[in-house]
mmCIF file of all heavy atoms in Angstrom:
data_model
loop_
_atom_site.group_PDB
_atom_site.id
_atom_site.type_symbol
_atom_site.label_atom_id
_atom_site.label_comp_id
_atom_site.label_asym_id
_atom_site.label_seq_id
_atom_site.Cartn_x
_atom_site.Cartn_y
_atom_site.Cartn_z
ATOM 1 N N ILE W 1 20.950 202.861 -6.489
ATOM 2 C CA ILE W 1 19.850 201.887 -6.547
ATOM 3 C C ILE W 1 20.368 200.525 -6.082
ATOM 4 O O ILE W 1 21.448 200.094 -6.469
ATOM 5 C CB ILE W 1 19.327 201.763 -7.980
ATOM 6 C CG1 ILE W 1 18.674 203.068 -8.425
ATOM 7 C CG2 ILE W 1 18.313 200.612 -8.094
ATOM 8 C CD1 ILE W 1 18.257 203.050 -9.877
ATOM 9 N N ILE W 2 19.559 199.877 -5.268
ATOM 10 C CA ILE W 2 19.843 198.498 -4.839
ATOM 11 C C ILE W 2 18.752 197.609 -5.404
ATOM 12 O O ILE W 2 17.552 197.891 -5.243
ATOM 13 C CB ILE W 2 19.846 198.385 -3.303
ATOM 14 C CG1 ILE W 2 20.777 199.426 -2.660
ATOM 15 C CG2 ILE W 2 20.208 196.960 -2.886
ATOM 16 C CD1 ILE W 2 22.225 199.290 -3.031
ATOM 17 N N ASN W 3 19.147 196.544 -6.082
ATOM 18 C CA ASN W 3 18.148 195.641 -6.653
ATOM 19 C C ASN W 3 18.795 194.282 -6.855
ATOM 20 O O ASN W 3 19.966 194.078 -6.529
ATOM 21 C CB ASN W 3 17.577 196.213 -7.965
ATOM 22 C CG ASN W 3 16.149 195.800 -8.213
ATOM 23 O OD1 ASN W 3 15.728 194.694 -7.849
ATOM 24 N ND2 ASN W 3 15.384 196.676 -8.833
ATOM 25 N N GLY W 4 18.056 193.342 -7.419
ATOM 26 C CA GLY W 4 18.591 192.008 -7.632
ATOM 27 C C GLY W 4 17.525 191.065 -8.140
ATOM 28 O O GLY W 4 16.393 191.477 -8.429
ATOM 29 N N VAL W 5 17.865 189.791 -8.220
ATOM 30 C CA VAL W 5 16.972 188.801 -8.832
ATOM 31 C C VAL W 5 16.202 187.970 -7.806
ATOM 32 O O VAL W 5 15.327 187.188 -8.198
ATOM 33 C CB VAL W 5 17.781 187.848 -9.746
ATOM 34 C CG1 VAL W 5 18.378 188.604 -10.914
ATOM 35 C CG2 VAL W 5 18.863 187.112 -8.969
ATOM 36 N N SER W 6 16.492 188.129 -6.538
ATOM 37 C CA SER W 6 15.937 187.222 -5.531
ATOM 38 C C SER W 6 14.415 187.175 -5.507
ATOM 39 O O SER W 6 13.820 186.086 -5.504
ATOM 40 C CB SER W 6 16.435 187.613 -4.142
ATOM 41 O OG SER W 6 17.824 187.367 -4.013
ATOM 42 N N LYS W 7 13.770 188.322 -5.456
ATOM 43 C CA LYS W 7 12.324 188.355 -5.267
ATOM 44 C C LYS W 7 11.559 188.200 -6.575
ATOM 45 O O LYS W 7 10.646 187.382 -6.670
ATOM 46 C CB LYS W 7 11.917 189.672 -4.588
ATOM 47 C CG LYS W 7 12.757 190.054 -3.371
ATOM 48 C CD LYS W 7 12.723 189.027 -2.257
ATOM 49 C CE LYS W 7 13.507 189.525 -1.055
ATOM 50 N NZ LYS W 7 13.535 188.584 0.081
ATOM 51 N N ALA W 8 11.905 188.978 -7.587
ATOM 52 C CA ALA W 8 11.142 188.975 -8.834
ATOM 53 C C ALA W 8 11.238 187.639 -9.575
ATOM 54 O O ALA W 8 10.291 187.230 -10.235
ATOM 55 C CB ALA W 8 11.609 190.100 -9.740
ATOM 56 N N TYR W 9 12.383 186.986 -9.480
ATOM 57 C CA TYR W 9 12.618 185.764 -10.268
ATOM 58 C C TYR W 9 12.715 184.514 -9.379
ATOM 59 O O TYR W 9 13.121 183.459 -9.862
ATOM 60 C CB TYR W 9 13.894 185.902 -11.096
ATOM 61 C CG TYR W 9 13.833 187.048 -12.079
ATOM 62 C CD1 TYR W 9 14.364 188.293 -11.758
ATOM 63 C CD2 TYR W 9 13.220 186.904 -13.326
ATOM 64 C CE1 TYR W 9 14.302 189.361 -12.651
ATOM 65 C CE2 TYR W 9 13.140 187.957 -14.224
ATOM 66 C CZ TYR W 9 13.678 189.191 -13.877
ATOM 67 O OH TYR W 9 13.607 190.249 -14.765
ATOM 68 N N ALA W 10 12.331 184.646 -8.099
ATOM 69 C CA ALA W 10 12.384 183.501 -7.188
ATOM 70 C C ALA W 10 13.760 182.860 -7.176
ATOM 71 O O ALA W 10 13.935 181.660 -7.370
ATOM 72 C CB ALA W 10 11.312 182.456 -7.541
ATOM 73 N N MET W 11 14.778 183.704 -6.921
ATOM 74 C CA MET W 11 16.169 183.256 -6.969
ATOM 75 C C MET W 11 16.901 183.601 -5.673
ATOM 76 O O MET W 11 18.079 183.962 -5.701
ATOM 77 C CB MET W 11 16.895 183.881 -8.169
ATOM 78 C CG MET W 11 16.363 183.428 -9.526
ATOM 79 S SD MET W 11 17.162 184.285 -10.907
ATOM 80 C CE MET W 11 18.844 183.652 -10.791
ATOM 81 N N THR W 12 16.238 183.459 -4.542
ATOM 82 C CA THR W 12 16.854 183.876 -3.289
ATOM 83 C C THR W 12 18.184 183.170 -3.016
ATOM 84 O O THR W 12 19.151 183.791 -2.562
ATOM 85 C CB THR W 12 15.900 183.645 -2.108
ATOM 86 O OG1 THR W 12 15.420 182.290 -2.155
ATOM 87 C CG2 THR W 12 14.711 184.591 -2.184
ATOM 88 N N GLY W 13 18.240 181.893 -3.283
ATOM 89 C CA GLY W 13 19.450 181.131 -2.985
ATOM 90 C C GLY W 13 20.587 181.334 -3.962
ATOM 91 O O GLY W 13 21.725 180.925 -3.676
ATOM 92 N N TRP W 14 20.332 181.966 -5.072
ATOM 93 C CA TRP W 14 21.375 182.194 -6.075
ATOM 94 C C TRP W 14 22.295 183.329 -5.654
ATOM 95 O O TRP W 14 23.446 183.417 -6.110
ATOM 96 C CB TRP W 14 20.762 182.532 -7.433
ATOM 97 C CG TRP W 14 19.932 181.438 -8.024
ATOM 98 C CD1 TRP W 14 18.629 181.119 -7.716
ATOM 99 C CD2 TRP W 14 20.330 180.495 -9.019
ATOM 100 N NE1 TRP W 14 18.207 180.066 -8.457
ATOM 101 C CE2 TRP W 14 19.237 179.653 -9.270
ATOM 102 C CE3 TRP W 14 21.520 180.292 -9.725
ATOM 103 C CZ2 TRP W 14 19.274 178.615 -10.207
ATOM 104 C CZ3 TRP W 14 21.565 179.256 -10.661
ATOM 105 C CH2 TRP W 14 20.454 178.434 -10.880
ATOM 106 N N ARG W 15 21.826 184.222 -4.786
ATOM 107 C CA ARG W 15 22.615 185.296 -4.179
ATOM 108 C C ARG W 15 23.217 186.244 -5.203
ATOM 109 O O ARG W 15 24.443 186.408 -5.282
ATOM 110 C CB ARG W 15 23.723 184.753 -3.260
ATOM 111 C CG ARG W 15 23.283 183.755 -2.199
ATOM 112 C CD ARG W 15 22.062 184.193 -1.401
ATOM 113 N NE ARG W 15 22.250 185.478 -0.731
ATOM 114 C CZ ARG W 15 21.360 186.469 -0.780
ATOM 115 N NH1 ARG W 15 20.231 186.338 -1.450
ATOM 116 N NH2 ARG W 15 21.604 187.596 -0.147
ATOM 117 N N ILE W 16 22.352 186.869 -5.983
ATOM 118 C CA ILE W 16 22.821 187.891 -6.930
ATOM 119 C C ILE W 16 22.000 189.159 -6.734
ATOM 120 O O ILE W 16 20.773 189.164 -6.897
ATOM 121 C CB ILE W 16 22.696 187.414 -8.398
ATOM 122 C CG1 ILE W 16 23.630 186.233 -8.665
ATOM 123 C CG2 ILE W 16 22.988 188.569 -9.349
ATOM 124 C CD1 ILE W 16 25.106 186.570 -8.601
ATOM 125 N N GLY W 17 22.694 190.222 -6.383
ATOM 126 C CA GLY W 17 22.091 191.551 -6.301
ATOM 127 C C GLY W 17 23.083 192.538 -6.881
ATOM 128 O O GLY W 17 24.184 192.187 -7.294
ATOM 129 N N TYR W 18 22.678 193.808 -6.932
ATOM 130 C CA TYR W 18 23.596 194.808 -7.489
ATOM 131 C C TYR W 18 23.289 196.186 -6.940
ATOM 132 O O TYR W 18 22.198 196.445 -6.418
ATOM 133 C CB TYR W 18 23.516 194.831 -9.016
ATOM 134 C CG TYR W 18 22.187 195.321 -9.577
ATOM 135 C CD1 TYR W 18 21.947 196.698 -9.734
ATOM 136 C CD2 TYR W 18 21.191 194.424 -9.959
ATOM 137 C CE1 TYR W 18 20.735 197.135 -10.264
ATOM 138 C CE2 TYR W 18 19.986 194.884 -10.472
ATOM 139 C CZ TYR W 18 19.753 196.235 -10.626
ATOM 140 O OH TYR W 18 18.558 196.670 -11.126
ATOM 141 N N CYS W 19 24.274 197.054 -7.048
ATOM 142 C CA CYS W 19 24.039 198.477 -6.858
ATOM 143 C C CYS W 19 24.345 199.176 -8.180
ATOM 144 O O CYS W 19 25.246 198.768 -8.907
ATOM 145 C CB CYS W 19 24.877 199.054 -5.729
ATOM 146 S SG CYS W 19 26.659 198.982 -5.975
ATOM 147 N N ALA W 20 23.561 200.189 -8.488
ATOM 148 C CA ALA W 20 23.805 201.066 -9.631
ATOM 149 C C ALA W 20 23.928 202.459 -9.048
ATOM 150 O O ALA W 20 22.991 202.976 -8.434
ATOM 151 C CB ALA W 20 22.651 200.985 -10.632
ATOM 152 N N CYS W 21 25.081 203.078 -9.219
ATOM 153 C CA CYS W 21 25.364 204.277 -8.432
ATOM 154 C C CYS W 21 26.333 205.212 -9.165
ATOM 155 O O CYS W 21 26.863 204.865 -10.239
ATOM 156 C CB CYS W 21 25.920 203.870 -7.074
ATOM 157 S SG CYS W 21 27.320 202.740 -7.131
ATOM 158 N N PRO W 22 26.608 206.390 -8.591
ATOM 159 C CA PRO W 22 27.567 207.310 -9.210
ATOM 160 C C PRO W 22 28.934 206.652 -9.408
ATOM 161 O O PRO W 22 29.311 205.747 -8.639
ATOM 162 C CB PRO W 22 27.633 208.448 -8.189
ATOM 163 C CG PRO W 22 26.317 208.413 -7.488
ATOM 164 C CD PRO W 22 25.965 206.954 -7.391
ATOM 165 N N PRO W 23 29.670 207.064 -10.419
ATOM 166 C CA PRO W 23 30.939 206.395 -10.765
ATOM 167 C C PRO W 23 31.931 206.246 -9.620
ATOM 168 O O PRO W 23 32.498 205.163 -9.429
ATOM 169 C CB PRO W 23 31.501 207.282 -11.874
ATOM 170 C CG PRO W 23 30.305 207.910 -12.500
ATOM 171 C CD PRO W 23 29.347 208.141 -11.382
ATOM 172 N N ASP W 24 32.150 207.299 -8.842
ATOM 173 C CA ASP W 24 33.117 207.204 -7.751
ATOM 174 C C ASP W 24 32.682 206.215 -6.671
ATOM 175 O O ASP W 24 33.504 205.499 -6.098
ATOM 176 C CB ASP W 24 33.348 208.589 -7.117
ATOM 177 C CG ASP W 24 34.166 209.507 -8.010
ATOM 178 O OD1 ASP W 24 34.758 208.994 -8.988
ATOM 179 O OD2 ASP W 24 34.222 210.711 -7.732
ATOM 180 N N LEU W 25 31.387 206.168 -6.421
ATOM 181 C CA LEU W 25 30.872 205.216 -5.434
ATOM 182 C C LEU W 25 30.991 203.796 -5.960
ATOM 183 O O LEU W 25 31.354 202.880 -5.207
ATOM 184 C CB LEU W 25 29.423 205.546 -5.073
ATOM 185 C CG LEU W 25 28.752 204.666 -4.021
ATOM 186 C CD1 LEU W 25 29.578 204.603 -2.747
ATOM 187 C CD2 LEU W 25 27.343 205.169 -3.721
ATOM 188 N N ALA W 26 30.734 203.589 -7.232
ATOM 189 C CA ALA W 26 30.892 202.250 -7.818
ATOM 190 C C ALA W 26 32.326 201.766 -7.710
ATOM 191 O O ALA W 26 32.591 200.587 -7.421
ATOM 192 C CB ALA W 26 30.442 202.266 -9.282
ATOM 193 N N LYS W 27 33.285 202.671 -7.917
ATOM 194 C CA LYS W 27 34.706 202.299 -7.767
ATOM 195 C C LYS W 27 35.009 201.928 -6.326
ATOM 196 O O LYS W 27 35.755 200.980 -6.067
ATOM 197 C CB LYS W 27 35.580 203.466 -8.217
ATOM 198 C CG LYS W 27 35.552 203.728 -9.726
ATOM 199 C CD LYS W 27 36.381 204.954 -10.092
ATOM 200 C CE LYS W 27 36.307 205.260 -11.576
ATOM 201 N NZ LYS W 27 37.023 206.515 -11.918
ATOM 202 N N ALA W 28 34.462 202.692 -5.386
ATOM 203 C CA ALA W 28 34.704 202.410 -3.979
ATOM 204 C C ALA W 28 34.103 201.070 -3.570
ATOM 205 O O ALA W 28 34.725 200.276 -2.838
ATOM 206 C CB ALA W 28 34.124 203.535 -3.111
ATOM 207 N N VAL W 29 32.890 200.804 -4.053
ATOM 208 C CA VAL W 29 32.230 199.524 -3.749
ATOM 209 C C VAL W 29 33.028 198.355 -4.318
ATOM 210 O O VAL W 29 33.228 197.319 -3.666
ATOM 211 C CB VAL W 29 30.789 199.525 -4.309
ATOM 212 C CG1 VAL W 29 30.214 198.122 -4.323
ATOM 213 C CG2 VAL W 29 29.903 200.450 -3.463
ATOM 214 N N THR W 30 33.537 198.523 -5.537
ATOM 215 C CA THR W 30 34.351 197.472 -6.150
ATOM 216 C C THR W 30 35.627 197.234 -5.351
ATOM 217 O O THR W 30 36.037 196.078 -5.115
ATOM 218 C CB THR W 30 34.705 197.863 -7.599
ATOM 219 O OG1 THR W 30 33.506 198.035 -8.345
ATOM 220 C CG2 THR W 30 35.556 196.786 -8.261
ATOM 221 N N LYS W 31 36.253 198.307 -4.905
ATOM 222 C CA LYS W 31 37.462 198.192 -4.078
ATOM 223 C C LYS W 31 37.177 197.443 -2.796
ATOM 224 O O LYS W 31 37.944 196.538 -2.398
ATOM 225 C CB LYS W 31 37.974 199.595 -3.768
ATOM 226 C CG LYS W 31 39.222 199.662 -2.898
ATOM 227 C CD LYS W 31 39.603 201.123 -2.643
ATOM 228 C CE LYS W 31 40.830 201.251 -1.780
ATOM 229 N NZ LYS W 31 41.174 202.679 -1.532
ATOM 230 N N LEU W 32 36.067 197.786 -2.124
ATOM 231 C CA LEU W 32 35.689 197.122 -0.873
ATOM 232 C C LEU W 32 35.395 195.641 -1.102
ATOM 233 O O LEU W 32 35.932 194.770 -0.421
ATOM 234 C CB LEU W 32 34.473 197.825 -0.278
ATOM 235 C CG LEU W 32 33.842 197.165 0.959
ATOM 236 C CD1 LEU W 32 34.799 197.202 2.134
ATOM 237 C CD2 LEU W 32 32.533 197.862 1.315
ATOM 238 N N GLN W 33 34.551 195.371 -2.084
ATOM 239 C CA GLN W 33 34.150 193.985 -2.347
ATOM 240 C C GLN W 33 35.365 193.141 -2.760
ATOM 241 O O GLN W 33 35.455 191.950 -2.405
ATOM 242 C CB GLN W 33 33.072 193.938 -3.427
ATOM 243 C CG GLN W 33 32.549 192.538 -3.705
ATOM 244 C CD GLN W 33 31.259 192.566 -4.489
ATOM 245 O OE1 GLN W 33 30.229 193.035 -4.012
ATOM 246 N NE2 GLN W 33 31.295 192.055 -5.720
ATOM 247 N N GLY W 34 36.297 193.750 -3.447
ATOM 248 C CA GLY W 34 37.497 193.027 -3.868
ATOM 249 C C GLY W 34 38.347 192.556 -2.715
ATOM 250 O O GLY W 34 39.121 191.604 -2.857
ATOM 251 N N GLN W 35 38.189 193.174 -1.565
ATOM 252 C CA GLN W 35 38.992 192.792 -0.425
ATOM 253 C C GLN W 35 38.325 191.781 0.498
ATOM 254 O O GLN W 35 38.985 191.168 1.316
ATOM 255 C CB GLN W 35 39.372 194.037 0.408
ATOM 256 C CG GLN W 35 40.417 194.927 -0.254
ATOM 257 C CD GLN W 35 41.780 194.270 -0.316
ATOM 258 O OE1 GLN W 35 41.959 193.112 0.018
ATOM 259 N NE2 GLN W 35 42.774 195.032 -0.782
ATOM 260 N N TYR W 36 37.003 191.623 0.395
ATOM 261 C CA TYR W 36 36.419 190.681 1.350
ATOM 262 C C TYR W 36 35.496 189.605 0.802
ATOM 263 O O TYR W 36 35.209 188.637 1.502
ATOM 264 C CB TYR W 36 35.769 191.417 2.538
ATOM 265 C CG TYR W 36 34.384 191.985 2.326
ATOM 266 C CD1 TYR W 36 33.289 191.405 2.969
ATOM 267 C CD2 TYR W 36 34.165 193.099 1.553
ATOM 268 C CE1 TYR W 36 32.016 191.947 2.823
ATOM 269 C CE2 TYR W 36 32.910 193.645 1.412
ATOM 270 C CZ TYR W 36 31.834 193.065 2.052
ATOM 271 O OH TYR W 36 30.574 193.609 1.903
ATOM 272 N N THR W 37 35.049 189.701 -0.447
ATOM 273 C CA THR W 37 34.381 188.525 -1.048
ATOM 274 C C THR W 37 34.799 188.282 -2.483
ATOM 275 O O THR W 37 34.586 187.183 -2.989
ATOM 276 C CB THR W 37 32.842 188.666 -1.030
ATOM 277 O OG1 THR W 37 32.472 189.786 -1.842
ATOM 278 C CG2 THR W 37 32.296 188.819 0.378
ATOM 279 N N SER W 38 35.351 189.270 -3.152
ATOM 280 C CA SER W 38 35.585 189.197 -4.599
ATOM 281 C C SER W 38 34.270 189.050 -5.349
ATOM 282 O O SER W 38 33.217 189.404 -4.821
ATOM 283 C CB SER W 38 36.555 188.048 -4.928
ATOM 284 O OG SER W 38 37.803 188.267 -4.299
ATOM 285 N N GLY W 39 34.326 188.526 -6.583
ATOM 286 C CA GLY W 39 33.143 188.473 -7.403
ATOM 287 C C GLY W 39 32.157 187.419 -6.958
ATOM 288 O O GLY W 39 32.508 186.436 -6.276
ATOM 289 N N ALA W 40 30.913 187.595 -7.353
ATOM 290 C CA ALA W 40 29.847 186.645 -7.014
ATOM 291 C C ALA W 40 29.988 185.374 -7.869
ATOM 292 O O ALA W 40 30.751 185.326 -8.840
ATOM 293 C CB ALA W 40 28.492 187.285 -7.233
ATOM 294 N N SER W 41 29.227 184.364 -7.517
ATOM 295 C CA SER W 41 29.261 183.067 -8.194
ATOM 296 C C SER W 41 29.117 183.207 -9.719
ATOM 297 O O SER W 41 28.228 183.863 -10.221
ATOM 298 C CB SER W 41 28.123 182.179 -7.665
ATOM 299 O OG SER W 41 27.831 181.126 -8.560
ATOM 300 N N SER W 42 30.019 182.541 -10.425
ATOM 301 C CA SER W 42 30.021 182.579 -11.888
ATOM 302 C C SER W 42 28.714 182.009 -12.454
ATOM 303 O O SER W 42 28.095 182.576 -13.358
ATOM 304 C CB SER W 42 31.218 181.825 -12.433
ATOM 305 O OG SER W 42 31.230 180.475 -11.941
ATOM 306 N N ILE W 43 28.289 180.869 -11.928
ATOM 307 C CA ILE W 43 27.097 180.197 -12.436
ATOM 308 C C ILE W 43 25.847 181.027 -12.137
ATOM 309 O O ILE W 43 24.982 181.200 -12.988
ATOM 310 C CB ILE W 43 26.951 178.789 -11.822
ATOM 311 C CG1 ILE W 43 28.229 177.983 -12.038
ATOM 312 C CG2 ILE W 43 25.738 178.072 -12.394
ATOM 313 C CD1 ILE W 43 28.669 177.862 -13.473
ATOM 314 N N ALA W 44 25.778 181.565 -10.932
ATOM 315 C CA ALA W 44 24.624 182.398 -10.562
ATOM 316 C C ALA W 44 24.548 183.660 -11.414
ATOM 317 O O ALA W 44 23.456 184.121 -11.769
ATOM 318 C CB ALA W 44 24.694 182.744 -9.080
#
């Protein structure tokens, strides 16, 4: 599942979305994101 806060909560500029997925895919996504952006904004 791909979802986030941009549309429902009028938060497009806050840049927070998520994937909810099978465990192995979630681990792979975390590994990938860790190499090219790391975590999203703390305040957002």
Side-chain angles (χ1 to χ4, degrees):
I1 294 174
I2 308 298
N3 211 326
V5 296
S6 292
K7 312 300 184 180
Y9 300 95
M11 294 176 67
T12 52
W14 297 81
R15 308 312 303 133
I16 294 294
Y18 67 84
C19 63
C21 52
D24 287 347
L25 182 54
K27 291 176 183 176
V29 166
T30 301
K31 179 181 179 181
L32 174 65
Q33 184 166 294
Q35 288 291 6
Y36 80 110
T37 63
S38 299
S41 160
S42 56
I43 306 305

